[in-house]
Amino acid sequence: MKVKDQHIAVFGESGSGKTVLLSSFYGASQEAGFVDRNKYQVLADDMAQGLRLAQNYLRMDKEARVPPTNRFGAQTYSFTLKPDGDTAPAGRPFDALRLIWHDYPGQWFAEDPSSEKESARRLRTVSDLLQSDVAIVLVDGQKLVDYAGEEEKYLKSMLWALCNGLLNLKGDILKNRKKLRTIPRIWILALSKADLHPDLDAPGFRDLIIEKVGDDVSRLQKTLRGFVADSQAFSLGEDYMLLSSAKFEPGKILVADRVGVDLITPVACLLPMERVAQWIELGIHPKAVQALLERSGVFAALLDGSVGAAAGKLFGKVPRVGKLLAPIAVPALQGALKLATAKAKAMRDAEVAKHDVVTAIVTQFRMDLEDGVRDGLLVKRP
């Protein structure tokens, strides 16, 4: 089976909800009806990890128990998104997607390592995190409640910890001062525990961040650009989303009342493609985004025009020059990405009927992003 990898890094302080989010992501995918709705299965590549995440999810649902915080070490979780059924046409560039989720102890950006061994492990972990395709920075919704009226106090400390933590490791990460070509070029600010803020949508969250700590976001952006080769192809402060792993009430955790969790996979897989097209349209040379193009399995497959007839109509006419996206392709790509949702849905349904499930999944991802924007769960660069 041919598999394409997508890497996602979720940054967040200890207690910001990373472990609960991961458990909710996996647990929800195992619920009855998920495959019927999404046309793919989510399989944990490590059975022990999958069992532990499922256990976390069930204990939230049945016993109102929150998963223990990861305080012991970095872990990488690998999930294969496999189309339901085995009728994929021959010659397809990939048969499944693998979503690789990098997790780490949240206090590593706020506390000094306790030993040289932990210091080395932290450096290795942060280096791995910075090899991802997309990064999500969690803003703890509970702390926003705790600091109501003075949100900037929490937000500044959170951003400063991340910023200074990266600066402290910069010399070790950038060997020979050579900047990274493979690094998350899209950084999304996400409000975790969004259920605690029922009156706040993604545009409102964006406005809060800009109002309270816009300068600090700019400082983090400048810091991260210092790691990035071809830093003009870089995005922080343009994308925002709401995430809630469940609704927490006294004595119970309602796992079905999650928010934004279902958007994580579409964000990881398709947002890079959309952003690359926008950068090129702005005149940023394709070489600046070559690494992202080459790493993005979905992107490469779509631009190859080999993911099926419907996707061919959507994306297959986009030409490529060698490994680089030709500037002339941008209007076609942009048009495909802005295709009316109703037409995309019709194409998705047609591919489902023809059992071209991979194409149907990719089309569904595009619709999911649009739905997220429409429902106020996602703000992305227009």
Side-chain angles (χ1 to χ4, degrees), residues 7 10 35 52 59 66 81 88 100 106 142 157 187 195 370:
H7 291 252
V10 180
V35 174
R52 188 163 60 252
R59 284 176 173 170
V66 178
L81 280 58
I100 300 174
Q142 178 61 59
S157 68
W187 291 67
D195 57 300
E370 297 307 313

Side-chain angles (χ1 to χ4, degrees), residues 98-164:
R98 181 180 292 124
L99 183 64
I100 300 174
W101 184 312
H102 298 279
D103 190 25
Y104 70 100
Q107 68 271 24
W108 276 10
F109 277 103
E111 300 174 6
D112 292 328
S114 59
S115 65
E116 289 188 7
K117 185 177 179 181
E118 183 174 294
S119 179
R121 196 164 67 241
R122 185 178 67 167
L123 175 61
R124 188 167 59 250
T125 297
V126 175
S127 297
D128 288 344
L129 287 165
L130 292 180
Q131 293 292 307
S132 299
D133 303 300
V134 175
I136 294 177
V137 178
L138 295 183
V139 174
D140 190 333
Q142 178 61 59
K143 290 192 174 179
L144 281 188
V145 172
D146 296 341
Y147 285 87
E150 300 179 308
E151 291 89 351
E152 65 275 11
K153 290 184 178 178
Y154 157 64
L155 293 170
K156 281 180 179 291
S157 68
M158 184 273 291
L159 291 170
W160 289 2
L162 178 57
C163 195
N164 293 335

Side-chain angles (χ1 to χ4, degrees), residues 19-28 30 44-60 65-79 101 103:
T19 305
V20 179
L21 179 64
L22 181 58
S23 301
S24 182
F25 168 81
Y26 181 71
Q30 306 306 301
D45 295 325
D46 184 320
M47 292 181 65
Q49 283 186 343
L51 184 61
R52 188 163 60 252
L53 293 174
Q55 188 179 52
N56 288 344
Y57 182 77
L58 291 173
R59 284 176 173 170
M60 287 196 292
R65 291 172 58 182
V66 178
T69 301
N70 173 19
R71 296 185 58 85
F72 302 103
Q75 294 190 54
T76 297
Y77 295 83
S78 176
F79 307 101
W101 184 312
D103 190 25

Side-chain angles (χ1 to χ4, degrees), residues 83-99:
D84 186 32
D86 55 0
T87 55
R92 180 171 297 289
F94 65 95
D95 303 304
L97 291 172
R98 181 180 292 124
L99 183 64

Side-chain angles (χ1 to χ4, degrees), residues 184-233:
R185 291 181 181 268
I186 301 169
W187 291 67
I188 302 167
L189 293 171
L191 176 65
S192 68
K193 308 171 189 173
D195 57 300
L196 298 176
H197 302 269
D199 297 327
L200 195 62
D201 59 9
F205 173 58
R206 172 201 58 196
D207 293 347
L208 176 71
I209 294 292
I210 293 173
E211 176 194 351
K212 299 289 185 179
V213 290
D215 290 342
D216 301 284
V217 172
S218 295
R219 181 186 174 223
L220 178 59
Q221 184 184 64
K222 182 178 179 181
T223 298
L224 285 165
R225 283 184 185 276
F227 286 79
V228 183
D230 299 313
S231 63
Q232 67 271 40

